[in-house]
Amino acid sequence: MATGTRSARTPRARQRPPQQRERSELGARLLVAIPAVAVALFLVIEGGAIFALGLFLVGCVCMHELFEMYARARPVRLAGFIALGGLIAAAHYGEQAQV
């Protein structure tokens, strides 16, 4: 055999497919962020009970995600949602001492 040539028995180097360029998530994030900013501004401007209700809805979504992450610990979901509602009601209808 000549030096520098490959033997017929050696496997060829595996050809990797050309790497695809990863797409930016900026467009998808903007599609979510623009309506979210509009909803946040609406809630802040309206204030009062509408703001409290908006906080409760956002809090429920966040707590649902948290409870999904802690699924192995089996948290008591109902107690968490009731506590969230109680805290928001105390903040809206009560004073600093109640919160």
Side-chain angles (χ1 to χ4, degrees):
M1 272 210 261
T3 308
T5 61
R6 288 187 172 181
S7 166
R9 294 182 184 175
T10 59
R12 288 185 170 176
R14 292 186 181 168
Q15 297 289 331
R16 291 185 183 180
Q19 291 182 351
Q20 293 181 355
R21 191 172 182 192
E22 291 185 28
R23 292 187 63 184
S24 173
E25 295 179 2
L26 180 63
R29 290 176 187 254
L30 283 175
L31 285 174
V32 172
I34 291 172
V37 168
V39 168
L41 283 174
F42 171 76
L43 291 175
V44 170
I45 290 170
E46 287 297 315
I50 293 176
F51 180 74
L53 181 63
L55 281 182
F56 180 73
L57 293 176
V58 170
C60 284
V61 169
C62 294
M63 289 183 68
H64 173 73
E65 291 294 323
L66 177 68
F67 291 151
E68 286 297 316
M69 288 190 287
Y70 287 130
R72 287 181 55 189
R74 294 184 289 163
V76 182
R77 294 173 183 244
L78 181 60
F81 291 122
I82 290 173
L84 174 67
L87 285 172
I88 291 175
H92 179 65
Y93 295 112
E95 295 177 4
Q96 187 175 4
Q98 282 82 21
V99 176

